Amino acid sequence: MKYSIVYLTNRIEPLLHWTLDSLAKEIPLEERGEVQFIMVDKFAEDQGRQAWVKLQLEKILNGCNYVHTTVKPNVWCGTHRLTSEDYFAAANYRNTGILLAQAPMIAFLDDLSVVCPGWWDHVKRSEADQAVYLGTYDKHRDMYVEQGQLLYSSHVDPDTRRSKLSQENTDPFPCSGSWMYGCSFACPTEALLDANGFDEDCDSMGSEDYITGMVMERKGWQFKFCPQMKTIESDLHHGFGDVAKRIIKPMGETDASHIILNSVIYDGRSKSAFYANKYSDIREARNEVLRTGQLPECGIPQHDWRDGQALEDM
């Protein structure tokens, strides 16, 4: 296995066929045997969902290896949660993908997305460069997609990072780890293991992406922003169905997300995933997951680190 693609969703309708159709145009059939597609899905325990995903993957992205799983046990969301409802927990979703990734290269995609021509080439360029390649994205409304190709949309919200570059600059461009936000990137799996995965203290509020990028950069990994590694995401569908709750709590004169950010900048923070003290880091946990096929259980923290509130009261 050479590449693991991690696709994340907590939606009943993730528009999976959009992503798979566009990936099928990008990844040649002869290369798919080296690709592992990991779908981390809130609804993966439902038998109907399992059959639907299996049909989609085998029909559209045939030749790839695939894993369909729920998010790893954690306190914020899923069947093991301590909270009264599901909270936004992107770090736990992303870390689930890292734990199951069998390949030395890993790429991430969000749901509701179409992959544009050139995306797969940049994943392979990231491998050759042994660098973190950050994809760009736009959010569109009223998208009409057929066979993985966007044929019509109305309003467009462009990626603000592109405005910092000249229009003539289409090659991968050196940037800082703080540019790592959005739905799409590729890197050596080792880069995320070095950073101990995504910081789960960010769960329930967000900011785990660029904070992890800054930790990776401090570990010595090089970053490049790629205007031609593009995905297009449906902004309209973000409002459909249940939306995971987010809460950013004030802490003194600032807020919790800035407490973590300042800890990365000034204190060399490297804290990340929680494994109930069973594993020292995500690397050790991943080795065990790849050996056993079982995701690690976690029952901590039981209180919100921001104010000590019991999670069962949230």
Side-chain angles (χ1 to χ4, degrees):
M1 206 77 64
K2 294 178 66 175
Y3 309 98
S4 293
I5 299 174
V6 182
Y7 175 92
L8 311 170
T9 186
N10 63 359
R11 305 177 201 281
I12 194 69
E13 174 50 274
L15 301 174
L16 176 63
H17 61 290
W18 282 10
T19 303
L20 295 182
D21 279 335
S22 56
L23 282 175
K25 290 180 177 294
E26 284 286 282
I27 307 175
L29 185 60
E30 62 271 17
E31 295 181 13
R32 294 182 193 173
E34 297 294 336
V35 176
Q36 177 193 32
F37 187 88
I38 303 168
M39 182 172 174
V40 185
D41 176 16
K42 175 181 177 178
F43 301 100
E45 292 182 341
D46 180 85
Q47 290 186 350
R49 180 75 152 205
Q50 293 168 13
W52 174 76
V53 168
K54 183 176 186 289
L55 178 65
Q56 295 283 308
L57 284 163
E58 292 181 349
K59 176 184 176 183
I60 301 174
L61 204 59
N62 56 305
C64 287
N65 306 274
Y66 76 89
V67 176
H68 183 206
T69 182
T70 56
V71 64
K72 68 183 180 69
N74 73 94
V75 300
W76 291 108
C77 65
T79 57
H80 295 80
R81 72 173 190 243
L82 300 183
T83 52
S84 61
E85 59 184 307
D86 279 346
Y87 278 75
F88 180 82
N92 265 288
Y93 271 78
R94 295 181 190 275
N95 285 339
T96 302
I98 296 170
L99 290 170
L100 291 166
Q102 298 176 13
M105 290 297 298
I106 190 168
F108 283 81
L109 287 170
D110 275 355
D111 57 7
L112 310 181
S113 296
V114 175
V115 170
C116 295
W119 187 88
W120 182 242
D121 285 341
H122 280 78
V123 172
K124 293 189 287 186
R125 288 179 70 175
S126 170
E127 177 188 26
D129 215 3
Q130 287 295 288
V132 185
Y133 273 37
L134 306 180
T136 185
Y137 68 97
D138 290 341
K139 291 187 177 182
H140 292 216
R141 296 182 70 85
D142 304 317
M143 290 172 62
Y144 177 68
V145 178
E146 190 171 289
Q147 296 297 309
Q149 183 177 358
L150 177 64
L151 300 181
Y152 171 82
S153 66
S154 57
H155 179 74
V156 178
D157 282 329
D159 188 339
T160 57
R161 292 170 296 181
R162 289 203 307 273
S163 65
K164 301 175 183 178
L165 307 177
S166 67
Q167 292 186 351
E168 293 75 25
N169 192 336
T170 58
D171 292 329
F173 182 83
C175 66
S176 72
S178 63
W179 279 39
M180 193 170 95
Y181 59 86
C183 59
S184 167
F185 72 94
C187 66
T189 307
E190 181 65 26
L192 286 166
L193 297 178
D194 262 358
N196 200 20
F198 289 85
D199 195 327
E200 292 178 13
D201 271 348
C202 294
D203 278 347
S204 78
M205 57 183 180
S207 302
E208 79 294 331
D209 41 13
Y210 65 84
I211 283 173
T212 302
M214 294 169 70
V215 173
M216 292 162 71
E217 183 181 20
R218 195 176 68 237
K219 295 284 186 178
W221 292 93
Q222 301 298 308
F223 283 73
K224 293 185 178 181
F225 177 72
C226 306
Q228 299 297 308
M229 184 183 179
K230 187 176 182 181
T231 57
I232 299 174
E233 184 175 340
S234 173
D235 190 45
L236 178 67
H237 287 84
H238 272 282
F240 293 176
D242 294 332
V243 178
K245 186 175 181 178
R246 294 195 197 214
I247 182 170
I248 299 178
K249 295 183 176 182
M251 297 182 70
E253 296 181 355
T254 183
D255 58 59
S257 60
H258 282 86
I259 291 289
I260 296 180
L261 178 60
N262 291 335
S263 179
V264 171
I265 295 172
Y266 301 114
D267 300 330
R269 177 187 177 92
S270 60
K271 182 179 179 181
S272 187
F274 294 104
Y275 298 109
N277 299 321
K278 188 173 182 180
Y279 305 109
S280 60
D281 55 21
I282 198 170
R283 186 188 304 275
E284 185 179 343
R286 176 174 175 263
N287 288 340
E288 186 67 9
V289 170
L290 295 182
R291 186 183 71 83
T292 65
Q294 300 296 314
L295 291 168
E297 294 185 6
C298 178
I300 58 172
Q302 295 182 342
H303 295 80
D304 191 342
W305 66 269
R306 295 167 289 193
D307 58 6
Q309 182 180 7
L311 295 186
E312 63 183 11
D313 294 331
M314 291 182 65

